[in-house]
Amino acid sequence: MPHTYEFPRPALTVDCVVFGFDGSGLQVLLVKRGIEPFLGAWALPGGFVRMEENLESAARRELEEETSLREVFLEQLYSFGEPGRDPRGRVVSVAWYALVRPDQHPPKGDTDASDAAWFPIDGLPGLAFDHERILAMALDRLRGKIRYQPVGFELLPKRFTLTQIQALYEAILGRTIDKRNFRKKLLAFDFLIPLEEFTGGAHRPARLHRFDRRKYDALAKRGFLFEL
Amino acid sequence: MPHTYEFPRPALTVDCVVFGFDGSGLQVLLVKRGIEPFLGAWALPGGFVRMEENLESAARRELEEETSLREVFLEQLYSFGEPGRDPRGRVVSVAWYALVRPDQHPPKGDTDASDAAWFPIDGLPGLAFDHERILAMALDRLRGKIRYQPVGFELLPKRFTLTQIQALYEAILGRTIDKRNFRKKLLAFDFLIPLEEFTGGAHRPARLHRFDRRKYDALAKRGFLFEL
DNA sequence: GCAAAAGTGTTTATGTTACACCCATGT
DNA sequence: ACATGGGTGTAACATAAACACTTTTGC
């Protein structure tokens, strides 16, 4: 019997903090627990890691099973392993955070069986386990990351207006930003492509743009700082 | 039997990337493996997590057991869980990185039983498991972190000269820095306290400074950017 | 024609970069 | 007295911040 097997093992789970943006505020996707413990409470989507899958696959599988979300931006956040964080016994959780575009959002009620629902970041219900702590850490990470990595685009439609992305930055950073300075700086990076398409609606149409990842990657390799 | 126990479980380990600075180059502390697999190979210090300890405690315990290091700066890095990363079976490792001051370095040969030794970052031996990948990630993290968080001081003696800290930044960032600009900026932050003590040695004595964490924390709370 | 959001430049202040010489000590 | 590393200021340049009005559309 290999050395490995002489030790009792903690159980291993993954949990996902799923962020969305509705045009004015940051939101988080939660699921209502259908089993004990914390039956009926809201929690982060997640579950046990299987023996043959890697950690990211486990996170993506749970995400799809519980929220129908596929092919989202997903990045590892932190691992939580306080004894006592799960009343069932020793459970270590590898936490991830995901960013999803509005056009990827699951239609409400689409999720099979137990409920999943979006909550505004400043109107969250109490959460099961230590999920509030995990969520707080994910939010910190997002706030830090968005300032020097182009992750904001993962929360917007593929084609978006400059006003939309400014609203996103203002919502996440929690302060207003000067419109002219913001646009000047963002466009100077030269990884946003202005399209010949415009929004419709009640007022002056706004030009749509898309993020050019190739251009960004090229710049990033040349040792480049984002810093919005 | 609780739900938790129905699943086969990966084994859980912690591994630590321990950085040091010898005045001119960054170094990593490795241990020579005394058991299979990879017997005789160099590896990151680490080992299995016990059922009753949290992840950080496990990392600190293994660090002390294998390298005699205590009370070092320690921060979680990432969790690695590719099936196949350990030939013994499914093993998930929560990786950490540590920063140790020269005056904390274990005297060579102090470490009980199997060897531990410092290696220069650009002269590393091949490593066991996927430890090269873990180390590469730790190095990336350190390079990124040192630019906007005051972690560099954790690699220097409590009292240090400005030339020492500049050498540290140059070694980690891999480029030379202008002496006058570096000192101007660093001192302007006002969290370095100049002492009335000086180095001895062959040349003009250099003033010693210490890092004032209270002042730094106060600044940091007022929403403050380091950015060297 | 009015309400609502889109779009656009210039000036000022601040921060960053480049750069060269004198000082204090031990040998 | 010389070799070695310690220490210091200023000017040019680049980036960031502040700031207000005109345009386009739907109603």
Side-chain angles (χ1 to χ4, degrees):
Chain A
M1 176 84 75
H3 186 241
T4 311
Y5 289 88
E6 295 171 22
F7 293 84
R9 302 171 171 194
L12 191 66
T13 61
V14 287
D15 287 302
C16 301
V17 181
V18 182
F19 290 110
F21 181 66
D22 69 354
S24 69
L26 200 59
Q27 298 189 300
V28 179
L29 187 60
L30 299 174
V31 297
K32 192 173 250 175
R33 287 185 59 82
I35 56 167
E36 290 289 356
F38 296 102
L39 195 156
W42 292 98
L44 300 176
F48 290 92
V49 175
R50 298 184 183 158
M51 284 300 274
E52 74 287 356
E53 70 190 349
N54 69 30
L55 300 173
E56 181 172 340
S57 303
R60 289 192 186 277
R61 176 181 52 73
E62 289 289 349
L63 211 48
E64 183 164 4
E65 287 177 12
E66 301 196 343
T67 70
S68 311
L69 285 171
R70 290 173 51 94
E71 297 179 18
V72 298
F73 173 95
L74 186 68
E75 194 172 274
Q76 199 186 109
L77 174 64
Y78 199 79
S79 295
F80 296 83
E82 295 299 314
R85 60 176 291 281
D86 188 316
R88 290 168 293 188
R90 186 75 198 278
V91 180
V92 171
S93 178
V94 181
W96 299 72
Y97 71 99
L99 305 179
V100 317
R101 301 181 206 282
D103 45 27
Q104 293 173 302
H105 286 202
K108 297 191 179 185
D110 176 28
T111 58
D112 44 305
S114 60
D115 322 55
W118 290 97
F119 290 84
I121 199 73
D122 50 4
L124 293 169
L127 300 184
F129 305 105
D130 55 355
H131 288 187
E132 287 174 23
R133 189 178 159 215
I134 297 176
L135 201 153
M137 197 156 177
L139 189 55
D140 275 354
R141 180 86 137 250
L142 178 60
R143 280 200 241 265
K145 192 121 191 163
I146 202 172
R147 296 188 52 184
Y148 63 95
Q149 298 253 250
V151 294
F153 309 107
E154 303 292 341
L155 287 164
L156 294 175
K158 285 255 163 75
R159 294 172 304 165
F160 51 84
T161 67
L162 297 180
T163 300
Q164 281 178 303
I165 192 165
Q166 181 175 346
L168 172 63
Y169 272 81
E170 289 180 336
I172 294 180
L173 299 180
R175 59 184 168 89
T176 59
I177 302 175
D178 180 87
K179 180 162 58 158
R180 280 176 286 191
N181 292 338
F182 182 82
R183 291 156 100 100
K184 205 187 315 169
K185 188 161 182 178
L186 197 56
L187 291 173
F189 288 132
D190 205 46
F191 50 57
L192 288 192
I193 301 179
L195 304 173
E196 291 307 320
E197 300 171 77
F198 297 81
T199 52
H203 308 295
R204 176 172 174 176
R207 183 181 290 270
L208 292 167
H209 296 73
R210 67 178 185 82
F211 172 59
D212 185 340
R213 187 164 301 279
R214 286 167 204 274
K215 261 190 185 163
Y216 173 79
D217 288 342
L219 288 171
K221 270 190 188 142
R222 303 201 155 279
F224 153 76
L225 200 63
F226 191 69
E227 196 61 51
L228 250 177
Chain B
M1 176 84 75
H3 186 240
T4 313
Y5 289 88
E6 296 171 20
F7 293 86
R9 302 171 173 196
L12 190 67
T13 61
V14 286
D15 287 302
C16 299
V17 182
V18 182
F19 291 109
F21 181 66
D22 69 355
S24 69
L26 201 58
Q27 299 189 300
V28 179
L29 187 60
L30 300 174
V31 297
K32 192 173 251 176
R33 285 184 60 82
I35 56 167
E36 291 288 357
F38 297 101
L39 196 156
W42 292 99
L44 300 176
F48 290 91
V49 175
R50 298 185 182 158
M51 284 300 274
E52 74 288 357
E53 70 190 348
N54 69 30
L55 300 173
E56 180 171 340
S57 303
R60 289 191 185 278
R61 176 181 52 73
E62 289 289 348
L63 211 48
E64 183 165 4
E65 286 176 11
E66 300 195 344
T67 71
S68 310
L69 285 171
R70 290 172 51 92
E71 296 180 16
V72 298
F73 173 96
L74 187 68
E75 194 172 273
Q76 198 186 112
L77 174 64
Y78 199 79
S79 296
F80 295 83
E82 295 299 315
R85 59 176 291 279
D86 188 315
R88 289 168 293 190
R90 185 74 197 280
V91 180
V92 171
S93 178
V94 181
W96 298 72
Y97 72 100
L99 305 179
V100 316
R101 302 182 206 281
D103 46 27
Q104 292 173 302
H105 286 202
K108 297 190 178 187
D110 175 28
T111 56
D112 44 305
S114 60
D115 320 55
W118 290 97
F119 290 84
I121 199 76
D122 51 3
L124 293 170
L127 299 184
F129 305 104
D130 55 354
H131 288 187
E132 287 174 23
R133 188 178 161 215
I134 297 176
L135 201 153
M137 197 156 177
L139 189 54
D140 276 355
R141 179 85 139 250
L142 178 60
R143 280 201 240 266
K145 192 122 190 162
I146 202 172
R147 295 188 54 184
Y148 62 96
Q149 298 253 251
V151 295
F153 309 107
E154 303 292 341
L155 288 165
L156 294 174
K158 284 255 164 75
R159 294 171 305 164
F160 51 84
T161 67
L162 298 179
T163 301
Q164 282 178 302
I165 192 163
Q166 182 174 345
L168 172 64
Y169 272 81
E170 290 180 335
I172 294 181
L173 300 179
R175 59 185 168 89
T176 59
I177 303 174
D178 180 86
K179 182 164 55 160
R180 279 176 287 191
N181 293 338
F182 182 82
R183 292 156 99 99
K184 204 190 315 171
K185 189 161 182 177
L186 197 56
L187 291 173
F189 288 132
D190 205 46
F191 51 56
L192 288 192
I193 301 180
L195 305 173
E196 292 308 320
E197 300 170 77
F198 296 82
T199 53
H203 307 295
R204 173 171 174 178
R207 184 181 290 270
L208 292 166
H209 296 72
R210 68 179 185 81
F211 172 59
D212 185 340
R213 186 164 300 280
R214 285 167 204 275
K215 260 190 187 163
Y216 173 79
D217 289 341
L219 288 172
K221 269 190 188 142
R222 303 202 154 280
F224 153 76
L225 200 61
F226 191 68
E227 197 60 50
L228 252 177

